[in-house]
Amino acid sequence: MNEMRSTTPLIDAEAARRYAAWFRALADPTRVRLLHLLAMEGRPMAVGEIVERAGVGQSTVSHHLKILAEVRFVLAERQGTSTRYEVNRTCLAVFPAAVRTILGEAPAGEGSDGGR
Amino acid sequence: MNEMRSTTPLIDAEAARRYAAWFRALADPTRVRLLHLLAMEGRPMAVGEIVERAGVGQSTVSHHLKILAEVRFVLAERQGTSTRYEVNRTCLAVFPAAVRTILGEAPAGEGSDGGR
DNA sequence: ATCGACCATCGACGATAATCGATGAAAGGC
DNA sequence: GCCTTTCATCGATTATCGTCGATGGTCGAT
């Protein structure tokens, strides 16, 4: 019982959920800082190394890295007993495109998904 | 008890919270749809008019409009007994700038705040 | 002054999310 | 084999969020 009455061509519910999910991935200060740390280092970093600088517990860091990885804002690579995370700049390009679509300035459609 | 150990020049906690707040404003499908509706109409709309097309209750719409207004993504204007909301495209320009700053590609500093 | 239309706010509820400590699982070194 | 290191996952706790119905406040008209 929850559809837009929609005489006008509006974003459908699924697209709205997809866009919201992207924004939600960066809707937490800890994740913003983790992403920025990885970007500034510019190299794959081990989780323990990240934890040393994050100011939050190891399980918390792991949790947030997982969320960032699910939307491909970071990439994970196992290396022996360690896991290296690095920033994935390509996928972060979705934001300008998403904003343009929401504002109706985009050619609609999927937009640059960044190679998901 | 929660600071980055920060030998490297990282985003400070306050900046991270500010960026996260911007992303959080669009981290909900209903807000994405409301913003898109306002953008497609391209004119100030009364709340009742928005409610007719939003598929959620009046108080819910009012709640979300308030959140969008707090970050200036929409602007409110009382007109008699009614309140008109319209999209504020200028402030939505913060996203490309925010992403560049988080990725360390920005000229640092405040970035285009959009005239807040 | 009263009424009606319009919208914001309140209170409550369920759902989701952030954080932590503890436990578990995989890989390497002994 | 066993122990250590490294990380992911689990369980619990607390806080935040989305939604609703109901109430309250403001303005215009009668």
Side-chain angles (χ1 to χ4, degrees), chain A residues 4 8 12 15-16 33 41 44 60 90-91 97 111:
Chain A
M4 291 246 188
T8 34
D12 60 288
R33 299 185 79 186
E41 287 294 321
T60 302
T90 311
C91 276

Side-chain angles (χ1 to χ4, degrees), chain B residues 22-114:
Chain B
W22 283 333
F23 286 100
R24 202 179 312 114
L26 293 190
D28 179 85
T30 300
R31 286 196 290 273
V32 168
R33 300 185 79 187
L34 291 181
L35 198 61
H36 184 243
L37 171 61
L38 289 172
M40 296 307 286
E41 288 294 322
R43 62 182 173 92
M45 292 180 74
V47 175
E49 199 174 2
I50 299 172
V51 170
E52 286 180 355
R53 299 214 234 160
V56 291
Q58 179 265 318
S59 61
T60 302
V61 168
S62 192
H63 170 67
H64 286 304
L65 287 173
K66 180 178 183 175
I67 291 177
L68 289 173
E70 278 169 352
V71 290
R72 302 265 183 174
F73 290 170
V74 300
L75 299 175
E77 181 198 6
R78 308 192 121 83
Q79 193 131 0
T81 168
S82 158
T83 308
R84 313 296 195 82
Y85 285 88
E86 70 181 313
V87 63
N88 184 15
R89 288 181 159 80
T90 311
C91 276
L92 284 154
V94 296
F95 285 111
V99 171
R100 282 199 310 274
T101 300
I102 294 172
L103 291 184
E105 303 166 356
E110 189 64 2
S112 57
D113 201 331

Side-chain angles (χ1 to χ4, degrees), chain A residues 1-13 15-17 19-30 32-37 39-41 52-56 87 89 92-93 95-96 99 101-105, chain B residues 1-13 15-17 19-30 32-37 39-41 52-56 87 89 92-93 95-96 99 101-105:
Chain A
M1 68 174 86
N2 259 354
E3 293 306 308
M4 291 246 188
R5 260 198 4 199
S6 138
T7 324
T8 34
L10 292 176
I11 264 184
D12 60 288
R17 266 188 279 110
Y19 289 134
W22 284 332
F23 286 101
R24 201 179 314 114
L26 293 190
D28 179 87
T30 301
V32 168
R33 299 185 79 186
L34 291 181
L35 198 61
H36 183 244
L37 170 61
M40 295 307 285
E41 287 294 321
E52 285 180 355
R53 298 216 235 157
V56 291
V87 63
R89 288 182 160 79
L92 284 154
F95 286 111
V99 170
T101 301
I102 293 171
L103 291 184
E105 301 165 357
Chain B
M1 67 179 84
N2 260 353
E3 293 306 308
M4 292 244 188
R5 257 198 6 197
S6 144
T7 324
T8 36
L10 292 176
I11 262 183
D12 61 289
R17 266 188 280 108
Y19 289 132
W22 283 333
F23 286 100
R24 202 179 312 114
L26 293 190
D28 179 85
T30 300
V32 168
R33 300 185 79 187
L34 291 181
L35 198 61
H36 184 243
L37 171 61
M40 296 307 286
E41 288 294 322
E52 286 180 355
R53 299 214 234 160
V56 291
V87 63
R89 288 181 159 80
L92 284 154
F95 285 111
V99 171
T101 300
I102 294 172
L103 291 184
E105 303 166 356

